[in-house]
Amino acid sequence: MTTTDMPRKVDAEPGRAVPKKRPGVARGGLRRAVPATTLLWVLAAVYGFPVLWFVLSSFKPAGDLFSSLALFPDDPTLSGYKAAWESANFSQYFINTAIVSVVATILTVGVSCCTGYALAKYDNKWLKVFFICILATTMLPGEVMLAPQFLVARDLGLFNSLAGIIFPALLTATGCFMFRQFFLTVPDELVEAARIDGARELSIFLRIMVPISRPIMLTLAILSFQWRWNDYIWPLLMLNDPNKFTVQIGIQSLVGAQNINWSVVLGGSVISMIPLIVVFLVFQRYVMNADINAGLKD
């Protein structure tokens, strides 16, 4: 008997080689998925409805904004957008905000990556004290630190400048914590192997640690850009020159002392959302596709 005449083991035990699908399992999985999916759709509707109402209301004439509870405008118009763009120097506001957001995001990601790596991979008691101090800042309301930050920035000559908005926001507790927790998952043997091969500390950080932390970098970049773009309180304290206003301060300037044209304010607010939506749609694809566990197998 040749080997081709031998009976296949799969054929001898068909029940074990090709397990049959149990209809009950599929029905059970579907039964569990329906409530979870329904709950997610309900939450999406709860969070999405105010945004939808906000955007659709920006197309309503000023007289119809509060006279009708209809969701969709009866007579859509772009007069609010046109008035908002013409009543304020929005192009300059966008340029100022873009400079602040992009520069602050790049520096925030770089500083947070360096700090997180040092906190995770170097054993020093003062680094642990420094990390505790960083975490302690998250337990304080942001308004408490406004006064000391303003005094320091003013004494450094940063008042009424875009640099005064950028530099105080570079070191964030959230960014340091994200990078520290990520680098803690990287095996120390990877760093030791690089040292044995003769790599220097800066080379290990730039050529090994930075590339594998790309998902965290992109995630923090999206968050930082959103924080800096939507920041209102700190630019309001630091700036008094209209030519240096950011978008959020420009929208606030649309509000009059006695009368508020909500159609114009809504139009300006929707305009300010467009760059954030574009940035999120572009970068979230890289975050979702990135292999966050690349090179982390111990």
Side-chain angles (χ1 to χ4, degrees):
M1 182 179 291
T2 61
T3 56
T4 55
D5 296 332
M6 296 287 289
R8 295 173 58 190
K9 188 175 181 180
V10 174
D11 296 336
E13 298 178 354
R16 295 178 57 186
V18 184
K20 296 181 179 179
K21 293 183 178 180
R22 291 180 298 176
V25 175
R27 287 198 298 268
L30 181 62
R31 196 181 303 116
R32 289 192 296 270
V34 168
T37 305
T38 304
L39 178 61
L40 291 177
W41 276 105
V42 171
L43 291 176
V46 169
Y47 281 95
F49 179 77
V51 180
L52 180 64
W53 181 90
F54 169 74
V55 174
L56 293 177
S57 297
S58 65
F59 294 99
K60 292 181 179 179
D64 297 343
L65 197 57
F66 296 106
S67 61
S68 173
L69 296 178
L71 180 62
F72 295 95
D74 297 330
D75 186 16
T77 178
L78 296 175
S79 60
Y81 291 89
K82 185 178 179 181
W85 190 265
E86 293 178 349
S87 59
N89 191 8
F90 259 89
S91 58
Q92 185 62 46
Y93 299 158
F94 269 93
I95 293 174
N96 296 337
T97 312
I99 293 174
V100 171
S101 302
V102 172
V103 175
T105 297
I106 294 174
L107 295 179
T108 298
V109 172
V111 171
S112 300
C113 187
C114 296
T115 308
Y117 176 71
L119 294 174
K121 292 302 177 186
Y122 291 97
D123 188 14
N124 186 288
K125 66 176 183 180
W126 294 112
L127 284 177
K128 296 178 181 177
V129 174
F130 182 60
F131 179 61
I132 293 174
C133 294
I134 293 176
L135 289 183
T137 59
T138 62
M139 303 174 190
L140 294 173
E143 292 78 6
V144 174
M145 295 185 287
L146 285 178
Q149 283 184 351
F150 177 79
L151 294 176
V152 172
R154 185 199 60 183
D155 294 342
L156 292 176
L158 300 178
F159 179 71
N160 197 27
S161 67
L162 297 182
I165 305 175
I166 295 173
F167 286 107
L170 295 187
L171 189 62
T172 64
T174 303
C176 296
F177 184 77
M178 289 173 60
F179 275 100
R180 178 185 179 272
Q181 296 305 111
F182 175 78
F183 285 127
L184 284 176
T185 64
V186 179
D188 293 335
E189 289 79 3
L190 185 63
V191 180
E192 294 298 329
R195 288 171 179 164
I196 292 173
D197 290 340
R200 297 184 176 181
E201 295 300 317
L202 183 60
S203 179
I204 294 173
F205 175 70
L206 294 179
R207 300 179 64 179
I208 298 178
M209 293 301 171
V210 171
I212 65 175
S213 64
R214 189 179 65 171
I216 303 299
M217 297 175 73
L218 292 176
T219 303
L220 181 60
I222 293 175
L223 295 176
S224 177
F225 189 89
Q226 179 184 1
W227 294 336
R228 300 289 82 79
W229 189 276
N230 287 332
D231 196 6
Y232 172 72
I233 298 296
W234 185 246
L236 184 65
L237 291 175
M238 291 297 296
L239 301 176
N240 61 3
D241 184 358
N243 293 325
K244 298 178 181 178
F245 280 177
T246 58
V247 169
Q248 306 306 328
I249 306 300
I251 294 174
Q252 188 271 340
S253 66
L254 298 176
V255 179
Q258 303 295 332
N259 185 27
I260 301 175
N261 191 338
W262 287 107
S263 178
V264 177
V265 174
L266 290 177
S269 301
V270 173
I271 292 174
S272 70
M273 293 170 52
I274 295 175
L276 284 178
I277 297 174
V278 172
V279 169
F280 178 77
L281 292 179
V282 171
F283 284 98
Q284 64 93 22
R285 177 166 57 92
Y286 295 101
V287 175
M288 298 301 292
N289 292 336
D291 186 4
I292 199 168
N293 294 318
L296 303 183
K297 299 300 182 182
D298 197 354

